[in-house]
Amino acid sequence: MSTFDFQTFTGESHQHLASRTRPPSPALLSSPDPAQQRLESLAFRSLANIHEHSAHPLHVKRIRLSEDRVPIVFLDGDLEDGRVSARFLELCLPFDFHRGGLSSGLGIRILGVNGRDLQLGLVESTARLIVRGSAGTDWNAERKAYSRQLEGHGTPLWNHKELTSAERAYSTDLPSPRTRPGPRIEMESKILRRIGIFTEFSSAHLTYAYSGGADTTRFWFEFDPSVPKDHGKLVAALTDPQWGLGMHVIYEDCLCDNGGSCYTKLSNPTGDATLTLNFSEEVPHLGRNYFESIGAPRRWIDRTFPAAASSSRCPH
């Protein structure tokens, strides 16, 4: 069994933690505020739906709390074909399309930009999230570029003080930020706050997630066929009762020994939210040199692209 600690789950550096006058707050790992959970879930879904490669799984280096106890999400910089910050805006900010329909992120608002920090909120609530871009990120320029890209096709909604009529019409049952969110939303908020798990315990070269229904989030992991999956470590971290999600395995179908794919299904303690993990073999089209060039963590690179590839058998 691996030894888990705060750093391995949040991705925070030992150097920063050592410089703090107070120990890291367990409050980072879970928020009781329903609106905060919704905002974090929406941010997580936007990041998880970026299917291009970047320096970290799910495109996040680490997460920490600000002095005001607002979560700060540190983004990667480069994608294969663009920037993480630009793709995040496209997937996260609400936009009313003239042809009908809205983009994702209902209720998300831009509260301000401070250097490379994008401050997001959720309408009619006190929920806050800081998204910190990589060095050189210009959120105002990214936002203007996105607006120009969609000019004539719709209207941005991210500066409105209240829910717009379009947002209310698009989802007549849009819940109040003050009501308890569904179990999937609460689960995704907790996953975002434990984003370091995927860099620390996964050897997948590509990771993304998507909806599996009202109560299910699905993860997709791609591994080089020559790389040991060792997905037991990732499952152990997610199910850890102290630092993880406290979930338990309810189904597993592992065909690693025969070079096949693997499927693991987890459930939360109350049984009303599930997390499914699909592990598949796929030869990567980008190799070790690319990830080194964009600053991916050395330990993750060594696991994902070992110098001497061995059997793809999955240890249990």
Side-chain angles (χ1 to χ4, degrees):
M1 176 67 67
S2 300
T3 300
F4 301 136
D5 59 28
F6 186 89
Q7 186 273 339
T8 59
F9 279 69
T10 62
E12 187 54 274
S13 68
H14 288 293
Q15 180 180 4
H16 178 263
L17 293 176
S19 69
R20 293 175 59 90
T21 57
R22 293 178 295 178
S25 173
L28 173 61
L29 298 178
S30 181
S31 171
D33 179 25
Q36 187 68 34
Q37 292 174 8
R38 292 185 196 283
L39 178 59
E40 293 168 10
S41 171
L42 289 168
F44 167 79
R45 293 180 191 185
S46 300
L47 291 162
N49 278 315
I50 300 175
H51 295 176
E52 296 90 346
H53 292 82
S54 69
H56 291 77
L58 298 167
H59 321 290
V60 178
K61 300 176 184 177
R62 58 188 173 274
I63 187 166
R64 72 169 65 145
L65 287 178
S66 72
E67 293 298 325
D68 297 329
R69 304 183 72 79
V70 176
I72 307 174
V73 178
F74 290 71
L75 296 187
D76 281 336
D78 297 327
L79 287 171
E80 299 169 58
D81 231 355
R83 293 180 58 80
V84 174
S85 53
R87 289 287 288 126
F88 175 77
L89 288 184
E90 292 172 9
L91 292 166
C92 187
L93 296 183
F95 211 94
D96 179 12
F97 292 103
H98 295 161
R99 66 176 183 273
L102 295 177
S103 63
S104 301
L106 298 188
I108 286 186
R109 300 296 186 258
I110 295 177
L111 303 181
V113 173
N114 183 15
R116 58 193 180 107
D117 285 356
L118 176 70
Q119 300 172 32
L120 298 178
L122 193 66
V123 70
E124 300 174 3
S125 79
T126 59
R128 299 291 182 268
L129 188 68
I130 297 172
V131 182
R132 182 164 294 175
S134 60
T137 296
D138 186 338
W139 287 110
N140 287 321
E142 300 277 21
R143 182 175 52 177
K144 290 177 182 176
Y146 181 40
S147 295
R148 286 195 300 269
Q149 176 186 340
L150 296 177
E151 190 172 357
H153 300 284
T155 304
L157 305 179
W158 53 75
N159 290 323
H160 289 262
K161 300 299 183 183
E162 300 177 346
L163 280 176
T164 65
S165 58
E167 287 173 305
R168 295 185 188 279
Y170 185 76
S171 182
T172 55
D173 60 347
L174 189 69
S176 164
R178 292 174 292 278
T179 59
R180 183 180 183 274
R184 178 185 166 210
I185 290 174
E186 184 177 358
M187 175 176 64
E188 290 175 341
S189 167
K190 291 180 178 179
I191 292 174
L192 179 65
R193 288 168 174 253
R194 292 161 174 78
I195 203 72
I197 288 178
F198 302 98
T199 299
E200 185 70 21
F201 300 111
S202 173
S203 301
H205 60 82
L206 181 63
T207 301
Y208 60 90
Y210 54 98
S211 170
D215 63 351
T216 301
T217 296
R218 298 183 181 275
F219 271 87
W220 182 266
F221 304 92
E222 289 187 2
F223 294 78
D224 188 307
S226 64
V227 174
K229 296 186 181 69
D230 200 8
H231 50 63
K233 291 182 180 179
L234 179 61
V235 172
L238 289 168
T239 56
D240 182 73
Q242 179 181 5
W243 297 105
L245 299 172
M247 306 185 86
H248 58 276
V249 177
I250 58 175
Y251 181 78
E252 186 173 26
D253 184 16
C254 180
L255 300 176
C256 287
D257 289 345
N258 298 319
S261 299
C262 305
Y263 174 87
T264 302
K265 186 173 184 179
L266 311 177
S267 174
N268 67 348
T270 55
D272 54 4
T274 56
L275 185 67
T276 65
L277 312 175
N278 295 82
F279 304 90
S280 180
E281 294 186 353
E282 188 75 27
V283 177
H285 66 273
L286 295 171
R288 185 184 186 98
N289 290 342
Y290 171 77
F291 289 98
E292 288 177 339
S293 72
I294 61 174
R298 173 64 60 179
R299 288 174 59 187
W300 179 80
I301 291 177
D302 288 343
R303 290 199 313 270
T304 307
F305 304 98
S310 57
S311 167
S312 62
R313 179 169 295 184
C314 171
H316 291 287

